[in-house]
Amino acid sequence: MNSKQLIESGQAILGIEFGSTRIKAVLIDQEYKPIAQGAFEWENQLVDGLWTYSINTIWKGLQDCYADLCKNVKQDYDAEITSLAAIGISAMMHGYMAFNKQQQILVPFRTWRNTNTGRAAAELSKLFNYNIPLRWSISHLYECILEDNDHVKDIDFLTTLAGYIHWQLTGKRVLGIGDASGMLPINPDTKDYDATMVNKFNELVAPKGYPWQLLDILPKVLVAGEDAGRLTAEGAKLLDPSGRLQAGIPLCPPEGDAGTGMVATNAVKQRTGNVSAGTSSFSMIVLEKDLSKPYEMIDMVTTPDGSLVAMVHCNNCTSDLNAWVNLFKEYQQLLGVKVDMNEVFGKLYNHALTGDADCGGLVSYNYISGEPVTGLAEGRPMFVRSATDKFNLANFMRSHLHAAVGVLKIGNDILFNEEHVKVDRITGHGGLFKTKGVGQRILAAALNSPISVMETAGEGGAWGIALLAAYLVADGKQTLADYLETSVFAGNTGVEIAPTAEDVAGFNRYIENYKAALPAEAEAVKCKK
């Protein structure tokens, strides 16, 4: 069956992921290969001091992304999508989307990027004896309670962005276990919210007299492969206002971008891991056992099938690096030179590798927003050097590449050096790895570990959630890890780059300079508004 026949017979599978800067749709065939894509570019807004996307923009983005996919399908195959074998919805994890009984959002969507929940996260971490990050949904909820926000009493449903979209498409208030683990801690044995923590939270807020208990308002937890409902007639019109898409299509449990990243890099088995490096960055290491104690820098989440994962999440990665590269684009334009951004990135990134392993003493902070791992509630991008440092283009660019994964290194040093976690394979994916070999080599030096990158890594989370949708309608005889290993990747582990001793030592020197100058970054936050 060719792609046109597959699409027209309704046997293609669709994955859609809401990323920080782009909503992406990927249509895959029965061999898991992308056959069509669609996209919609968007940006978060800072409104009343909080990062958000409007509800209208969420739906416009989804519809325009799907319409772009349909346009490309028509153009490439002279076909129209009327039905699908399965659909998966994924999005940025965490954050706060609270709705009343009328399904109206009570306050603007608060994304993972917000760091206004310090008091709540600290109190809950102490109560649970478990690290509760600033961006988790339970932190946002409790912060609203601490601030006596009037809307809290009216909450009927609290979910993530992926959970919200899925709910509107299917009518089901459910969430994949990986995304749910960014709302409230999961018990890996029960594959559900931790009952002890649920009870502690209910007791904590009982004096407020709210008309709900915590489990009343949270989505039901599902693991990969479980039935998560079907596209309703209303949902079909929401996704495809043209009316061509039929109802009744099964949907897999909605997942967060961390979970889809694990799937897209075949990193759901124990002793595997992946690093996603784009607007934000995070590493996911699938553990053989729990850590010895809670760490503020490390979040405990799960794979889409419920295995325990140590996650180091950094709010900032490539945004500041891209801003510097754009300066060189502007310089080329001033000279009247034709600009090819792939060439600009390629030249600058590869030139960075000719610089000193420690960047010649130069240090960069890429903090567009706050960075919880290093204790900063707000960010100020900053470049620092002394008069005696080796200031040249190669070291300058290398310092920004190091900065992109510097905070990630700080968190992972705890896992590898203090907890002695063992990893057989780490796979990188995301924008940092588009220039072949460069981001991979920098990350290998940062983590002192071989890093693999697959040809499919550029497909990202939309492909990952499409694979989870494919798993939903598979025969159900394999675990998710075995399904990915044997059916999807068939032994492909990608191209690996091992760190050199010189690069590792240089990155270690860089990170010591980085840590030493952090007080200057903190002062910049205070002084520059």
Side-chain angles (χ1 to χ4, degrees):
M1 187 181 296
N2 62 33
S3 296
K4 176 181 172 67
Q5 294 168 326
L6 187 84
I7 293 165
E8 291 182 335
S9 64
Q11 295 182 60
I13 292 171
L14 174 63
I16 299 176
E17 181 161 277
F18 288 71
S20 300
T21 59
R22 184 169 62 151
I23 303 170
K24 184 177 179 181
V26 170
L27 201 66
I28 65 171
D29 62 17
Q30 292 170 316
E31 295 178 343
Y32 316 107
K33 294 175 183 173
I35 54 176
Q37 298 185 6
F40 176 81
E41 305 290 328
W42 70 342
E43 280 289 348
N44 53 193
Q45 279 88 41
L46 190 62
V47 179
D48 296 328
L50 295 170
W51 293 103
T52 188
Y53 301 85
S54 73
I55 292 291
N56 287 341
T57 304
I58 289 169
W59 290 109
K60 175 177 169 49
L62 177 65
Q63 292 166 359
D64 284 7
C65 175
Y66 182 77
D68 187 46
L69 171 77
C70 291
K71 181 193 78 175
N72 293 332
V73 164
K74 182 69 175 174
Q75 180 178 298
D76 295 343
Y77 305 108
D78 191 27
E80 289 186 348
I81 302 171
T82 58
S83 189
L84 296 156
I87 299 173
I89 299 294
S90 173
M92 301 167 276
M93 291 178 70
H94 320 117
Y96 187 75
M97 297 193 83
F99 299 88
N100 62 18
K101 289 185 185 298
Q102 290 74 42
Q103 300 190 13
Q104 298 165 326
I105 196 163
L106 292 166
V107 291
F109 168 36
R110 298 175 183 180
T111 77
W112 58 270
R113 202 168 197 172
N114 290 295
T115 54
N116 63 307
T117 56
R119 182 181 165 197
E123 290 188 16
L124 291 176
S125 296
K126 185 176 180 181
L127 177 70
F128 297 156
N129 190 31
Y130 198 98
N131 179 42
I132 304 298
L134 300 177
R135 65 187 181 282
W136 278 19
S137 304
I138 196 70
S139 295
H140 283 280
L141 174 62
Y142 190 49
E143 187 67 33
C144 291
I145 291 170
L146 289 175
E147 294 174 6
D148 285 320
N149 285 189
D150 188 57
H151 77 269
V152 176
K153 70 181 187 310
D154 298 319
I155 296 175
D156 184 62
F157 184 40
L158 177 64
T159 190
T160 64
L161 179 56
Y164 167 62
I165 299 293
H166 183 96
W167 172 43
Q168 295 298 300
L169 296 183
T170 66
K172 301 292 185 181
R173 292 167 40 150
V174 300
L175 199 59
I177 192 168
D179 205 3
S181 68
M183 295 194 77
L184 183 74
I186 293 289
N187 182 328
D189 296 325
T190 64
K191 302 285 195 286
D192 204 349
Y193 301 116
D194 188 286
T196 301
M197 296 184 198
V198 169
N199 290 335
K200 284 184 176 180
F201 186 86
N202 284 333
E203 291 171 8
L204 178 67
V205 304
K208 294 286 188 179
Y210 296 127
W212 48 259
Q213 297 270 290
L214 189 55
L215 292 184
D216 297 336
I217 63 174
L218 292 181
K220 180 184 177 183
V221 178
L222 299 177
V223 298
E226 288 193 296
D227 177 19
R230 290 177 176 266
L231 186 68
T232 63
E234 297 81 7
K237 286 298 291 283
L238 272 175
L239 180 56
D240 181 16
S242 75
R244 283 188 289 268
L245 188 64
Q246 298 169 9
I249 300 164
L251 273 77
C252 68
E255 266 298 349
D257 50 1
T260 58
M262 285 187 276
V263 171
T265 53
N266 191 21
V268 299
K269 274 188 175 175
Q270 292 180 358
R271 292 176 66 110
T272 64
N274 81 91
V275 170
S276 173
T279 304
S280 64
S281 69
F282 49 82
S283 63
M284 313 286 289
I285 307 296
V286 189
L287 302 175
E288 297 176 278
K289 60 180 182 179
D290 203 350
L291 301 181
S292 64
K293 62 180 182 179
Y295 293 93
E296 191 174 345
M297 295 178 181
I298 298 170
D299 310 345
M300 302 304 294
V301 293
T302 77
T303 63
D305 58 350
S307 292
L308 205 59
V309 175
M311 178 183 193
V312 177
H313 184 282
C314 311
N315 281 1
N316 304 279
C317 185
T318 59
S319 294
D320 188 49
L321 176 58
N322 293 343
W324 283 107
V325 172
N326 278 328
L327 284 185
F328 291 97
K329 178 192 80 171
E330 288 186 37
Y331 177 64
Q332 279 192 257
Q333 289 171 329
L334 276 175
L335 295 178
V337 178
K338 185 178 179 182
V339 176
D340 178 338
M341 286 308 291
N342 288 328
E343 183 181 20
V344 174
F345 274 101
K347 292 281 189 187
L348 289 172
Y349 276 32
N350 280 290
H351 186 59
L353 296 184
T354 68
D356 295 305
D358 64 354
C359 308
L362 311 181
V363 175
S364 175
Y365 296 96
N366 62 340
Y367 298 173
I368 299 289
S369 63
E371 194 55 80
V373 172
T374 48
L376 290 163
E378 292 183 54
R380 300 289 182 272
M382 188 169 73
F383 173 69
V384 182
R385 68 185 178 100
S386 70
T388 55
D389 290 335
K390 297 178 185 175
F391 185 43
N392 56 42
L393 181 59
N395 283 338
F396 177 77
M397 287 307 304
R398 188 162 184 150
S399 75
H400 290 294
L401 284 165
H402 278 213
V405 294
V407 179
L408 200 67
K409 173 181 174 58
I410 292 171
N412 277 277
D413 280 350
I414 294 172
L415 291 177
F416 299 134
N417 300 338
E418 297 183 31
E419 289 286 335
H420 307 292
V421 168
K422 303 299 182 188
V423 183
D424 297 326
R425 183 181 74 240
I426 298 177
T427 306
H429 66 115
L432 185 67
F433 304 105
K434 282 184 180 177
T435 300
K436 190 174 181 180
V438 179
Q440 198 174 351
R441 179 174 156 185
I442 296 295
L443 183 63
L447 301 187
N448 192 16
S449 174
I451 304 295
S452 297
V453 170
M454 300 181 187
E455 286 184 19
T456 52
E459 304 299 344
W463 185 58
I465 193 65
L467 295 180
L468 286 172
Y471 181 64
L472 171 72
V473 293
D475 59 23
K477 294 177 181 177
Q478 290 181 298
T479 65
L480 177 61
D482 287 343
Y483 176 76
L484 294 173
E485 190 76 39
T486 60
S487 298
V488 178
F489 292 93
N492 175 27
T493 57
V495 177
E496 183 179 274
I497 290 180
T500 67
E502 181 186 3
D503 280 353
V504 171
F507 209 117
N508 286 337
R509 289 194 300 274
Y510 174 88
I511 213 68
E512 289 308 311
N513 290 335
Y514 185 99
K515 290 176 182 176
L518 268 171
E521 170 67 19
E523 284 300 313
V525 170
K526 293 178 189 176
C527 299
K528 173 78 170 114
K529 295 296 181 185

